[in-house]
Amino acid sequence: MKENMRSVDPAAQVLLKVAGEKNIKTSFDRADKLKPCPIGHQGACCKMCHMGPCRLVGKEEEAEGVCGATLPVVTARNFARMVAAGTAAHSDHARDLANTLLAVGRGEAKDFQVKDVRKLNRVAGYLGINVEGKSVNKVAEEVALKFLEQFGQQRGELAYLGRAPKKRQEIWKKLGIAPRAIDRECVEMLHRTTMGVDQEMNNIMLGAMRASLADGWGGSMMGTDISDILFGTPKPVRSNASLDVFMQDHVNLVVHGHEPSFAEMLVIASEDPEIVAYAKSKGAKGVKLVGMCCTANEILIRHGIATAGGFLQQELGILTGMVEAMVVDVQCIMPAIGELSKQYHTKVITTTPKGKMKDAIHIEYDEHHALDLAKKVVRLAIDNFPNRNKEKVTPANVRPADMIAGFSHEYIEYMQGGQFRGSFRPLNDAIIAGRIRGVVGIAGCNNPRITQDSLHNFLSRELIKNDVLVVQTGCSAMASAKAGYMTPENALENAGQGLREVCEAIGIPPILHMGSCVDNSRILTVATAIAEEGGLGDDIGGLPAVGIAPEWMSEKAIAIGTYLVASGVPTIFGAGSPVSASKSLKDLMENKWWEMVNAGFYFEEDPGKILELTLKLIDAAREKLKIRKYEPGRFGTERVLMDMAARRASSFATPHGERA
Ligand code: MSK
């Protein structure tokens, strides 16, 4: 397949061509060669026991497994297991962070400290912890212990559910889907979907929603909060994004995966004067730390570390021949990079006992000795610099796109009135007046079965043109960043008139980078703030807001989509449907869920139809709220609170981005 059919990213196209010329296989080639099993792809394969696997083909009413399991049950069980796995992934990430916070609170992790005391105190408030007269570390310890309790508590509900609008909490209670504890919901979902337990589609899917809420309002929200407490709450920062951020005269060290803790230490280690001197002693000018996937997003939004891109860039990064080491933690790491690294000089370094890899060096991360370990890893990369084979160096030679990232919920609020008058009022008023038609969160992965970034880019482009404010996370945010959509100037030129005026008035770009996959919880927080600000109902359900994951591939994306819907945000996934085998299940998710949670879950592959459905859902919500009908260009001029130039001069930090 031609490179431009595989990716719209010009740098990726160059590297894919290099792969083709060198006869090196990538995920794109493997996707071409390996057609998905049509039965499993639709969710109709049951492999919960060893009487099968049973392939449920034929009419929905007739198809059944050896045990008599029907198509709706089998499809729902498969879907629910994806939710449980996705929830487990995000939440286990949060558990590790909670343990780090505990070690910090107890003075056992000397290389970390609480960076955002204000956020720590606010979180303590959500958890019912009194901070009066307590040291920062004592509060950190109590918060960490309370968080850890949330995984295995036997009674009650997750504490963070109290952050949702009251009406939403009542819906969860009424449906019996308020999660009790994170581990419990994952375990129960696995139990209920094993052979011979839950035999009713609707009940299985209620369980799936409950497990997903343990992710969105549990693990993911905790992950985001602890990262902000320990590493700082993000605010806008300049950086750049491309496979061409690697530097020929530097040691290039890639950090890939999802967890921010070790990456934070690598940021410090790579800038340590002794380490820089060591790099110079080996003939390099310094160490260039580069992010990939969501670990990239974590250090991008806090430090402006340049990103090489998302999930599908990992093999292509090695193909540049300039990566001395790729440090990986958890999630979205392709097993193929171990084998590929052997054809180059790249060292792949695994850092967690949960994720080892053949052909990799294992250096286990331990928060008690974090900086020493980070220095060890950076030195290993430096030692490998002389092994770089100049003949294999193939830079993409595509100028990295400039970007601004780091729009936390706190910063969005601050931008709408400053430290003391911050609120969501200007945003709500703009939506009510029809200047902003609605808000869409575009999230999720890349998938080699879809032209890389094509849907992410098409949708973000078209949505801002239609006066829709776009917030992005994960690989989707990377797609916009690489395309240059995350500079205020560029994006504003392409935004509709109403959105452009509001963005200029508030001082925000029309496409906001909100962080990593766990940071989809920030979307829940923003949606809650909008609902509670007033004028747009009293719940997340019913807001003119939609979630989209157009190029998804991960179980984590399914968990995210489900918690968005269970929280009241209608959600559309591209890239094929894992529930298409069952019409009843499709009907439940697209239609009946509206009656239950005031949102539906759609799978739609056609990009034009995704756009059309998104706008239709937004306009229907506007009509129901009885706010002004959206008519492009029919509104007054927004008062300018702070123009973009002034905002940039005052706020957009540039600590690392300029280095690239
Ligand atoms: S990294 S889960 S491919 S968004 Fe979070 Fe990207 Fe999807 Fe992994």
Side-chain angles (χ1 to χ4, degrees), residues 143-345:
V143 165
L145 287 169
K146 182 73 182 173
F147 274 147
L148 288 168
E149 214 180 279
Q150 300 287 292
F151 286 89
Q153 68 186 16
Q154 297 304 313
R155 268 183 265 280
E157 289 172 0
L158 290 185
Y160 267 7
L161 300 188
R163 294 175 63 176
K166 286 271 165 309
K167 193 165 175 186
R168 190 54 31 185
Q169 295 179 45
E170 282 158 20
I171 291 171
W172 294 335
K173 273 200 177 62
K174 195 171 139 225
L175 291 171
I177 59 170
R180 296 151 292 188
I182 296 164
D183 290 351
R184 179 169 183 177
E185 303 311 341
C186 294
V187 169
E188 187 176 299
M189 212 57 254
L190 290 179
H191 176 202
R192 282 166 65 169
T193 52
T194 196
M195 195 268 148
V197 186
D198 204 344
Q199 323 281 11
E200 206 271 306
M201 174 189 73
N202 185 35
N203 203 43
I204 295 166
M205 293 304 280
L206 282 169
M209 281 205 269
R210 192 178 211 176
S212 76
L213 290 169
D215 180 356
W217 299 86
S220 280
M221 203 169 272
M222 280 165 48
T224 295
D225 283 351
I226 301 172
S227 299
D228 287 355
I229 289 168
L230 286 176
F231 315 130
T233 301
K235 50 182 191 282
V237 60
R238 282 180 185 279
S239 188
N240 40 39
S242 165
L243 273 170
D244 214 25
V245 292
F246 302 116
M247 294 170 95
Q248 300 220 28
D249 52 7
H250 277 59
V251 173
N252 292 301
L253 173 60
V254 175
V255 58
H256 168 27
H258 281 75
E259 293 190 346
S261 309
F262 195 36
E264 282 285 322
M265 290 298 113
L266 289 169
V267 173
I268 298 171
S270 64
E271 292 170 350
D272 182 290
E274 259 181 50
I275 292 281
V276 175
Y278 187 59
K280 286 184 177 161
S281 77
K282 299 281 177 175
K285 285 194 175 154
V287 178
K288 173 77 178 169
L289 185 67
V290 170
M292 192 164 272
C293 269
C294 280
T295 310
N297 283 323
E298 298 279 1
I299 52 176
L300 164 70
I301 58 177
R302 297 192 176 87
H303 303 283
I305 299 290
T307 171
F311 175 63
L312 288 180
Q313 310 279 89
Q314 53 193 295
E315 292 170 295
L316 306 183
I318 293 175
L319 278 160
T320 63
M322 288 191 279
V323 176
E324 272 60 53
M326 185 177 278
V327 185
V328 301
D329 48 72
V330 290
Q331 302 164 23
C332 301
I333 294 140
M334 286 192 196
I337 60 170
E339 185 61 35
L340 176 62
S341 70
K342 289 197 295 186
Q343 299 183 53
Y344 286 82
H345 75 304

Side-chain angles (χ1 to χ4, degrees), residues 338-569:
E339 185 61 35
L340 176 62
S341 70
K342 289 197 295 186
Q343 299 183 53
Y344 286 82
H345 75 304
T346 306
K347 306 267 186 222
V348 176
I349 303 168
T350 52
T351 53
T352 162
K354 294 174 202 170
K356 294 194 178 178
M357 190 190 290
K358 193 172 157 285
D359 303 315
I361 299 166
H362 188 71
I363 299 177
E364 202 150 302
Y365 166 67
D366 174 356
E367 67 253 24
H368 300 91
H369 315 283
L371 190 55
D372 288 346
L373 286 165
K375 286 183 183 171
K376 183 176 171 182
V377 164
V378 181
R379 280 176 186 274
L380 193 148
I382 294 170
D383 287 339
N384 198 24
F385 181 71
N387 298 328
R388 192 188 285 180
N389 181 344
K390 292 206 169 45
E391 281 167 23
K392 287 191 174 177
V393 169
T394 46
N397 285 329
V398 175
R399 191 185 172 277
D402 294 328
M403 68 181 299
I404 289 170
F407 290 90
S408 56
H409 152 252
E410 288 83 351
Y411 200 81
I412 295 173
E413 187 173 30
Y414 165 76
M415 287 183 117
Q416 299 179 77
Q419 186 148 353
F420 302 106
R421 290 189 302 123
S423 77
F424 277 76
R425 196 68 255 157
L427 186 58
N428 278 29
D429 286 344
I431 295 172
I432 292 164
R435 288 186 179 87
I436 291 182
R437 187 171 183 173
V439 182
V440 167
I442 314 183
C445 326
N446 289 121
N447 182 328
R449 301 198 181 280
I450 292 172
T451 306
Q452 185 196 15
D453 296 344
S454 59
L455 268 63
H456 291 298
N457 287 353
F458 166 75
L459 290 165
S460 41
R461 229 174 26 231
E462 290 303 314
L463 287 167
I464 62 167
K465 215 187 275 175
N466 279 280
D467 293 301
V468 174
L469 179 68
V470 172
V471 296
Q472 283 186 293
T473 58
C475 292
S476 183
M478 305 262 196
S480 278
K482 287 184 293 163
Y485 295 173
M486 282 181 166
T487 57
E489 306 83 355
N490 190 6
L492 282 173
E493 276 168 25
N494 297 306
Q497 188 194 336
L499 178 63
R500 192 168 60 236
E501 285 180 9
V502 175
C503 288
E504 279 168 346
I506 299 176
I508 54 170
I511 303 179
L512 303 176
H513 189 315
M514 292 192 88
S516 64
C517 294
V518 292
D519 291 336
N520 283 304
S521 68
R522 296 190 199 274
I523 296 177
L524 297 178
T525 314
V526 167
T528 302
I530 292 174
E532 291 182 340
E533 185 63 49
L536 290 169
D538 54 357
D539 183 22
I540 298 173
L543 290 176
V546 174
I548 314 179
E551 301 180 28
W552 75 281
M553 64 85 201
S554 167
E555 292 168 317
K556 291 179 290 168
I558 290 289
I560 293 165
T562 310
Y563 76 61
L564 284 178
V565 177
S567 302
V569 182

Side-chain angles (χ1 to χ4, degrees), residues 566-588:
S567 302
V569 182
T571 297
I572 310 165
F573 272 39
S577 165
V579 296
S580 58
S582 168
K583 283 198 188 78
S584 328
L585 181 53
K586 188 170 179 286
D587 179 51
L588 173 73

